[in-house]
Amino acid sequence: MNIEDSLAHRLILDDLSNQISQVNSNGIGYSKSIKLPSDRGYFEITVERNKLTMEYADRKGETLMMPADMDSKYKLVSGRSYLITKTADGVVIT
């Protein structure tokens, strides 16, 4: 059960990393809407320039991603929807 839980959270991190990289590699104005799952309990993901950090149930996991020109540090929460957009200033998450 613990391995399955860790794997599910790792897949969430990897998918988000891929989504951000996909938006970053396209032109200005490109965007993608995402919804973080809520069926794995509450978690928070911190998005920084080259890494994602997930915290859940007293655990922490990280994954590296290709550097994206992020305009700031973002905190994303499970169960919520976000829009990832490539702007002239870099990648923005709202």
Side-chain angles (χ1 to χ4, degrees), residues 15-34 67-70 82-87 90-93:
D15 183 54
L16 180 57
S17 176
N18 287 334
Q19 301 293 336
I20 292 171
S21 294
Q22 186 179 56
V23 169
N24 188 49
S25 67
N26 282 286
I28 294 173
Y30 186 84
S31 65
K32 184 165 233 173
S33 179
I34 60 162
D69 188 14
M70 306 294 283
Y82 297 93
L83 182 65
I84 306 167
T85 307
K86 175 78 176 231
T87 68
V91 177
V92 176
I93 301 175

Side-chain angles (χ1 to χ4, degrees), residues 4 10-11 17 19 21 23 34 38 43-44 46 55-56 58 61 64-65 71 78 80 86 92:
E4 180 182 322
R10 170 61 57 196
L11 292 174
S17 176
Q19 301 293 336
S21 294
V23 169
I34 60 162
S38 60
F43 60 83
E44 292 182 353
T46 303
E55 296 180 49
Y56 66 98
D58 296 327
L64 295 177
M65 65 178 178
D71 68 338
S78 59
R80 295 191 183 162
K86 175 78 176 231
V92 176

Side-chain angles (χ1 to χ4, degrees), residues 2-20 34-37 39-40 43 45 52-54 56 60-64:
N2 192 16
I3 292 173
E4 180 182 322
D5 189 48
S6 294
L7 177 61
H9 285 92
R10 170 61 57 196
L11 292 174
I12 293 168
L13 273 179
D14 288 345
D15 183 54
L16 180 57
S17 176
N18 287 334
Q19 301 293 336
I20 292 171
I34 60 162
K35 179 167 180 165
L36 295 177
D39 62 338
R40 289 292 172 180
F43 60 83
I45 298 175
L52 302 174
T53 305
M54 177 185 276
Y56 66 98
K60 189 175 190 178
E62 291 184 346
T63 193
L64 295 177

